[in-house]
Amino acid sequence: MRLEIATDITERKQMELELRAAHEKARAAALEDELTGLHNRRAFFEFGEQLLNQSARHQTPLTLVMMDLDHFKIINDTYGHQAGDEVLKQVSGLLKARIRDCDIVARMGGEEFAILLPDTDMTMAHVLASRLLALLCNLVVSYEKSRISPSASIGISSLGNGDRRLEDLMCRADEAMYQSKAKGRSRVTLAT
């Protein structure tokens, strides 16, 4: 009888552990972009709001870099969507390799990426964004017999005294990113 009860308890604990592991795996999958392995938009906002609240509470700098790949539709139309996917994967790998563990990088959708940089002011963010842009412009993605050279337009904003939501930073970084596009693309623009 005791052996049966012990076995039943062990089996129940094993089932609970398996269920917990499956739950954690599903939660992680819900926060990850399937193609690139980066955080997705949902994760960016979930983790980003925490960083924003910490930065506001401790009065430390927080900077947002928004990046949109230039002429990505042309890449897809010319080389095919699988080639475009390969570009997205390699750009994502480049971003992951160049940021700190405390930073948040996410694919926001399509060919748009966001990088949230805690304890980073505009000057430091501009240096990082310029380095990323230079690396990106030197990146050559080989796909079948094609060689694809992506570029990007980048906008940067930082946490201001009146900012209460991540969307406040994003709005200014987006505006700066579109100014980069309007000025000829493949450049970094700081939000005013």
Side-chain angles (χ1 to χ4, degrees):
M1 179 80 162
R2 286 185 179 171
L3 183 59
E4 289 175 14
I5 293 172
T7 302
D8 190 41
I9 291 172
T10 303
E11 287 175 1
R12 205 172 312 144
K13 285 183 179 180
Q14 181 63 33
M15 286 176 37
E16 287 175 10
L17 287 173
E18 289 172 5
L19 183 61
R20 191 173 302 139
H23 183 345
E24 285 300 316
K25 186 176 179 181
R27 185 180 182 323
L31 298 174
E32 183 178 289
D33 178 66
E34 189 175 332
L35 177 67
T36 64
L38 295 178
H39 290 303
N40 61 19
R41 185 179 189 87
R42 176 181 172 190
F44 181 79
F45 279 102
E46 186 175 316
F47 301 136
E49 289 294 335
Q50 293 171 11
L51 282 182
L52 183 133
N53 291 334
Q54 287 174 356
S55 291
R57 183 172 46 254
H58 299 294
Q59 297 182 356
T60 56
L62 179 69
T63 308
L64 175 64
V65 175
M66 294 296 296
M67 181 178 90
D68 190 65
L69 297 182
D70 295 327
H71 305 295
F72 191 72
K73 183 179 182 329
I74 294 172
I75 292 172
N76 278 335
D77 291 348
T78 304
Y79 305 104
H81 289 280
Q82 288 180 332
D85 287 351
E86 186 59 30
V87 169
L88 292 171
K89 289 176 191 176
Q90 290 200 28
V91 168
S92 298
L94 184 147
L95 296 176
K96 273 195 271 193
R98 300 296 175 181
I99 64 162
R100 304 168 299 183
D101 289 339
C102 64
D103 300 333
I104 297 174
V105 62
R107 179 177 175 210
M108 300 303 283
E111 65 276 9
E112 188 175 52
F113 299 87
I115 307 168
L116 198 55
L117 305 165
D119 297 314
T120 306
D121 63 22
M122 288 285 270
T123 302
M124 294 186 301
H126 187 265
V127 169
L128 173 66
S130 297
R131 280 189 196 138
L132 290 174
L133 182 59
L135 290 167
L136 182 62
C137 289
N138 287 319
L139 178 68
V140 177
V141 178
S142 296
Y143 183 78
E144 293 179 352
K145 295 180 182 177
S146 302
R147 294 173 53 84
I148 306 164
S149 299
S151 69
S153 296
I154 299 175
I156 303 173
S157 67
S158 66
L159 184 65
N161 291 334
D163 294 333
R164 298 292 173 251
R165 303 171 315 131
L166 209 46
E167 288 87 349
D168 299 331
L169 278 150
M170 288 187 78
C171 184
R172 291 193 308 277
D174 270 341
E175 284 179 26
M177 183 180 67
Y178 285 107
Q179 287 175 19
S180 289
K181 288 186 178 295
K183 293 176 186 173
R185 301 180 191 269
S186 192
R187 66 186 64 229
V188 177
T189 302
L190 302 176
T192 54

